[in-house]
């Protein structure tokens, strides 16, 4: 689901170029997908524009009335697993959400520096886990379009545990299924409430993204350190290495 402007409490504390990232203290890297590895524009466009338009057409509603109805329904489920569940919304709205997503899947895009960052992580001794609230059907579409899972040791959806990442239950079940040391883990996620839940669980290193949606302004409020792109936390040698597509990193 889309990021809502204004989430978070305090001014973002951006990483500084002279501040070395503590990679030696990190064994496990937990990476969110939408708004972190992938541009959030696709999701914002889908839920705020494409779905309301197709929902109105499908049910013979006026466009504005359909949009307001959907906003109310989304607000009721915000922060729950249903909010992220394509099966739930397909049943609730009586329309195939997966098929509607495929109508605009050409808008799915990898964020800058992601492939270079993932390629570097993959060659390190760290575990790299894709940890997302996305429903498995949505995950399937996005992995088909991007192939980012080829660099990941695990691909985990919160639906596997029947609890969103905002819930302590998710982190407890993640630990039970894939044991790791929270204090030596890094979570990079664009959602403040997820980062807060991870912090409460004891995840030792937390980062957010300053611009999850490339077509929206940079965020100004959050309580966690933020970066624009992953090159900001990569070692110099990794930044200068050839990119996975053969182009020079820049």
């Amino acid at each position: 689901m889309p990021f809502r402007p204004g989430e978070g409490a305090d001014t973002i504390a951006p990483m500084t170029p002279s501040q070395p990232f503590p990679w030696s203290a990190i064994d496990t890297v937990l990476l969110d997908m939408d708004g972190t590895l992938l541009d959030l524009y696709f999701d914002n466009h889908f839920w705020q524009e494409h779905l309301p338009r197709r929902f109105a057409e499908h049910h013979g509603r006026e466009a504005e009335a359909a949009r307001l109805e959907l906003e109310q329904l989304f607000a009721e489920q915000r922060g729950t697993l249903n909010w992220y569940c394509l099966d739930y919304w397909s049943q609730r709205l009586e329309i195939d959400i997966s098929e509607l997503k495929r109508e605009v899947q050409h808008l799915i895009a990898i964020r800058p520096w992601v492939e270079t960052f993932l390629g570097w992580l993959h060659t390190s001794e760290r575990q790299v886990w894709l940890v997302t609230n996305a429903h498995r059907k949505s995950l399937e579409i996005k992995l088909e379009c991007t192939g980012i899972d080829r660099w990941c040791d695990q691909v985990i959806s919160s639906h596997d545990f029947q609890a969103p990442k905002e819930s302590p239950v998710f982190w407890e079940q993640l630990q039970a299924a894939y044991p790791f040391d929270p204090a030596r883990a890094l979570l990079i996620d664009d959602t403040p409430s997820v980062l807060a839940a991870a912090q409460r669980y004891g995840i030792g290193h937390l980062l957010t993204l300053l611009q999850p949606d490339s077509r929206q302004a940079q965020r100004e409020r959050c309580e966690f350190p933020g970066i624009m792109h992953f090159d900001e936390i990569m070692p110099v040698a990794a930044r200068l290495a050839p990119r996975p597509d053969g182009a020079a990193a820049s």
Side-chain angles (χ1 to χ4, degrees), residues 36-105:
T36 300
L37 299 180
L38 304 185
D39 194 331
L40 196 60
Y41 173 70
F42 169 81
D43 298 275
N44 283 336
H45 174 79
F46 178 81
W47 294 102
Q48 296 174 5
E49 298 181 39
H50 189 67
L51 175 59
R53 180 170 61 252
R54 297 288 281 115
F55 176 74
E57 293 170 356
H58 185 76
H59 292 290
R61 309 274 183 85
E62 292 293 331
E64 182 62 12
R67 184 185 65 79
L68 293 174
E69 180 180 352
L70 290 177
E71 283 188 357
Q72 177 62 36
L73 293 175
F74 293 155
E76 291 171 1
Q77 299 299 325
R78 183 176 180 82
T80 72
L81 197 63
N82 283 341
W83 203 60
Y84 303 101
C85 183
L86 269 59
D87 287 341
Y88 172 83
W89 291 115
S90 293
Q91 181 178 11
R92 183 77 182 267
L93 304 179
E94 299 179 349
I95 193 168
D96 191 329
I97 300 296
S98 295
E99 287 304 309
L100 294 188
K101 280 185 172 256
R102 289 193 180 276
E103 292 178 354
V104 289
Q105 68 180 24

Side-chain angles (χ1 to χ4, degrees), residues 111-117 229-231 234 239 243 249-250:
R111 298 185 72 253
W113 284 97
V114 163
E115 292 176 289
T116 305
F117 179 64
H229 300 301
F230 291 102
D231 61 310
M234 291 173 61
R239 294 201 304 268
R243 299 178 70 169
S250 60

Side-chain angles (χ1 to χ4, degrees), residues 3-10 78 192 216-222:
F3 163 77
R4 303 296 184 186
E7 287 184 330
D10 304 311
R78 183 176 180 82
Q216 291 187 5
Q218 179 176 317
R219 298 193 300 180
E220 297 180 353
R221 297 180 65 81
C222 189

